[in-house]
Amino acid sequence: MSFSRAATIAVGIVSILFSGCDAPENPSGAVFPTTLGDVAAVRLSYRYEADVPAPTIEEIQARTGSIDAAVAADFQINRPDESVSSTIASADGSRIAVVYSRPTDEPGDYRLDMYDASGKPLRKLTSDLMAVHFPDTIRWSPDGRSLAFVAMLRTASAVPEPVQTPVSDQPATVEGTDSNSNSEPVAPVEPTAAPTLEAPTGILTFRTDQLYVADADGGVTRPLTQNESLIYYFYDWSPDSTMLVTLAATSVEWNYLERMVKGRGEVFVPAGRPRVVEKNGRERLLDDALTSVYPVWSPDSSKIACAFDKQIRVYDASGTVPTQAAIPLRNNLLLSSQAYDQSQSQALGAENSNGEMQELASNANTAGSTLPDPNTLVSFNPIVTLHWPSSELLYFQTAFIKRMLNDADSVSSFPRWHRLILSAQAGTN
């Protein structure tokens, strides 16, 4: 054997040995993703933690009632007959969406204009045939390039006939002078007015509330949804500004729920089915169950969480084969409510003469042997709020809330925050 051939064989053996050292032994074939965004919803694990401190929830955008001072001044000077309801600034503050109405508009019907940061009107976003609804849900995308809102066909006459001021053929005179005298006539002074923006035309409009998007850089307003059988009433942008999660209900469901709750003297809170809508208009139904709890995005835009009574469901927002996972929390909430009620009763003191609280304490002492009776637990309530601040932490609040038309009769009690610690299951090849 030549020296060169022997050297080549030796180098090959050393390479094999070192390559074996570089690759850790993994006989199970387990796959460990680098982030939770790479984990399918169905492959998530969770750990429940009850009665945790409330998370810090920052308000991202201005809501109804906030009005930019420069915009308000422009309306007062140039548009005194129109009433500003609210203004919503983009994240960078360069654009301001203005929600307003005219005297001829029906209550609850609004219009949208775009202003710049200095209070100068740029363009109208809605046509005269469109009625913007649910102004408190209007959302700028996080990148500030798009504005989402809900609108439908306006039912009332939107444009009043302009009042024509008659022009006299006689020359204008100055008060206190004789028109027959030889003095030179004074030319009339024309009032200066701000240029009037023309409302756009040709925007496809529907007989039920649909989701629209407008471009902050001057693009046209266009509908993202075109399903007249549905009413879209809630929507929220994904953190990467590529999609929106919505809640939509059929007209039959909407009208039935509205009549039912108003018959009981309660405030109508709509319930809908969650859907994800991409900016290109592609739409996907996430679930057939109704919920009144607003869904939330994961911080990386990979997943959406929804709440249904005592259950949370997590959905993949995209992918060729998106999955979903259900997290049943009824038993966890039963046991934690039992402990919570026990601690509350003990805080009142053993000498408390309230028979109901004494019974709660007695029921709490049976923990560990059987699930408690939910009818005896005052703090056992449905999920009312979701908050997803980081990929691993999903917060949710339970509470008893009853909203009445007479606000004095409304009830909100036993608000409690809990959270899920999310992690990835080990997958296999």
Side-chain angles (χ1 to χ4, degrees):
M1 180 183 295
S2 66
F3 175 78
S4 60
R5 183 179 180 185
T8 302
I9 294 174
V11 171
I13 294 174
V14 172
S15 299
I16 293 173
L17 291 175
F18 274 93
S19 64
C21 293
D22 291 338
E25 186 177 356
N26 187 10
S28 65
V31 178
F32 300 98
T34 57
T35 65
L36 284 183
D38 299 328
V39 182
V42 74
R43 302 299 300 175
L44 287 175
S45 295
Y46 73 92
R47 185 176 76 252
Y48 168 75
E49 291 185 352
D51 297 295
V52 299
T56 301
I57 303 178
E58 297 181 358
E59 192 71 9
I60 298 177
Q61 294 179 336
R63 296 295 181 252
T64 302
S66 173
I67 300 178
D68 181 84
V71 172
D74 178 74
F75 269 76
Q76 183 177 5
I77 296 172
N78 299 313
R79 308 168 68 172
D81 293 335
E82 298 172 327
S83 176
V84 180
S85 175
S86 64
T87 57
I88 307 103
S90 60
D92 60 4
S94 63
R95 294 290 185 267
I96 302 174
V98 181
V99 185
Y100 69 100
S101 60
R102 294 176 180 171
T104 56
D105 294 343
E106 291 291 323
D109 288 356
Y110 299 94
R111 303 164 188 265
L112 270 178
D113 282 6
M114 184 79 74
Y115 276 62
D116 66 10
S118 65
K120 175 185 176 182
L122 298 177
R123 61 189 175 95
K124 292 184 178 295
L125 300 180
T126 56
S127 70
D128 288 328
L129 297 178
M130 297 172 64
V132 175
H133 291 162
F134 315 118
D136 57 330
T137 64
I138 296 174
R139 297 285 189 274
W140 280 100
S141 60
D143 62 10
R145 299 178 61 182
S146 302
L147 181 75
F149 62 93
V150 158
M152 63 176 290
L153 182 67
R154 187 177 296 276
T155 56
S157 176
V159 186
E161 290 295 329
V163 177
Q164 301 293 337
T165 303
V167 179
S168 175
D169 294 332
Q170 300 297 325
T173 60
V174 179
E175 185 177 358
T177 63
D178 186 0
S179 60
N180 295 322
S181 66
N182 294 327
S183 60
E184 294 292 331
V186 179
V189 179
E190 295 292 338
T192 59
T196 302
L197 300 176
E198 294 294 332
T201 59
I203 302 176
L204 192 60
T205 312
F206 303 87
R207 286 180 288 271
T208 61
D209 284 297
Q210 300 295 307
L211 184 61
Y212 287 80
V213 65
D215 189 351
D217 296 328
V220 298
T221 299
R222 59 187 176 89
L224 279 186
T225 61
Q226 303 185 30
N227 191 343
E228 283 194 329
S229 65
L230 295 177
I231 298 173
Y232 295 80
Y233 66 92
F234 170 81
Y235 41 95
D236 195 20
W237 285 98
S238 60
D240 63 5
S241 303
T242 61
M243 299 172 285
L244 295 108
V245 63
T246 74
L247 287 177
T250 66
S251 301
V252 174
E253 293 166 337
W254 183 283
N255 295 331
Y256 171 77
L257 290 175
E258 188 173 27
R259 289 194 303 269
M260 184 175 63
V261 298
K262 286 189 175 181
R264 299 196 299 261
E266 298 178 15
V267 174
F268 172 53
V269 178
R273 295 175 179 83
R275 296 168 176 264
V276 62
V277 183
E278 300 177 16
K279 288 186 71 173
N280 59 11
R282 185 168 63 178
E283 182 176 351
R284 176 165 61 93
L285 175 66
L286 296 178
D287 211 292
D288 283 327
L290 291 169
T291 181
S292 59
V293 181
Y294 293 159
V296 294
W297 286 95
S298 63
D300 59 7
S301 304
S302 66
K303 296 176 180 63
I304 298 167
C306 297
F308 302 87
D309 192 32
K310 312 292 192 313
Q311 184 181 102
I312 291 177
R313 299 178 190 174
V314 180
Y315 313 86
D316 292 325
S318 59
T320 55
V321 186
T323 68
Q324 70 178 59
I327 305 176
L329 295 167
R330 184 178 186 275
N331 291 349
N332 298 95
L333 290 171
L334 274 173
L335 295 174
S336 62
S337 295
Q338 185 181 52
Y340 180 86
D341 286 359
Q342 181 182 19
S343 66
Q344 293 296 304
S345 65
Q346 290 174 347
L348 293 176
E351 70 282 359
N352 194 322
S353 60
N354 189 317
E356 181 182 2
M357 293 305 296
Q358 292 294 333
E359 181 183 0
L360 291 174
S362 175
N363 289 333
N365 291 330
T366 64
S369 59
T370 185
L371 288 174
D373 182 359
N375 295 321
T376 64
L377 301 175
V378 293
S379 66
F380 181 65
N381 294 301
I383 300 170
V384 296
T385 305
L386 292 171
H387 181 56
W388 205 336
S390 65
S391 297
E392 300 81 11
L393 297 178
L394 176 55
Y395 285 81
F396 62 98
Q397 185 185 46
T398 59
F400 176 78
I401 298 177
K402 193 172 186 179
R403 301 179 180 90
M404 307 299 293
L405 295 175
N406 182 2
D407 192 61
D409 297 330
S410 298
V411 178
S412 179
S413 58
F414 297 102
R416 301 165 56 208
W417 279 101
H418 320 279
R419 68 184 178 190
L420 300 176
I421 312 299
L422 302 176
S423 59
Q425 301 176 14
T428 57
N429 290 329

